[in-house]
Amino acid sequence: QVQLVESGGGLVQAGGSLRLSCAASGRTFSTYYMGWFRQAPGKEREFVAAISRYGTTTYYADSVKGRFTVSRDNGQNTMYLQMNSLKPEDAAVYTCAARLQSGGDYVVSAYDYWGQGTQVTVSS
């Protein structure tokens, strides 16, 4: 089992940047495929980015491609999401998630463990 804790959210102006962190504890971090999801008020949770166990492969939603970068440091048991050129429509609660099985990077139900989330607010 793994416990996930996000940090780094906050209020930023449109065009600004934030870096989110997801700290993991418990089972060996490199065991897990990791992902970032977000949920805005009144909307369903949506996929943002995912990364393979050793960081060699990444996936992005079309809406964030070229602006967001996902990375991980297995030695520090942490995953990151660097968010640049933020837009008001990026505002949401961002949550990190972990799964044991390969495949299903984009799929909410494929993930086994979830953090509590961190709020990102983007002012226009």
Side-chain angles (χ1 to χ4, degrees):
Q1 196 166 1
V2 63
Q3 293 76 44
L4 305 172
V5 179
E6 302 92 340
S7 62
L11 172 63
V12 63
Q13 286 189 331
S17 298
L18 281 175
R19 187 176 83 154
L20 306 184
S21 298
C22 172
S25 61
R27 194 170 171 178
T28 304
F29 187 53
S30 59
T31 301
Y32 298 95
Y33 299 87
M34 299 294 295
W36 285 101
F37 290 79
R38 68 186 182 187
Q39 187 168 21
K43 295 188 177 181
E44 291 191 356
R45 180 173 282 174
E46 66 174 358
F47 169 77
V48 175
I51 189 166
S52 58
R53 292 189 299 157
Y54 295 96
T56 54
T57 305
T58 56
Y59 304 92
Y60 297 94
D62 288 342
S63 59
V64 307
K65 203 170 292 184
R67 300 187 297 122
F68 290 12
T69 303
V70 61
S71 62
R72 66 190 295 165
D73 183 339
N74 287 347
Q76 296 295 319
N77 296 337
T78 304
M79 176 178 65
Y80 304 97
L81 185 68
Q82 178 66 44
M83 306 187 295
N84 298 330
S85 303
L86 281 161
K87 304 175 181 180
E89 53 263 42
D90 293 319
V93 174
Y94 284 70
T95 306
C96 63
R99 71 183 197 279
L100 290 167
Q101 300 297 320
S102 63
D105 298 88
Y106 308 88
V107 181
V108 171
S109 60
Y111 288 80
D112 304 298
Y113 304 99
W114 293 84
Q116 294 298 308
T118 185
Q119 178 72 51
V120 172
T121 304
V122 184
S123 63
S124 56

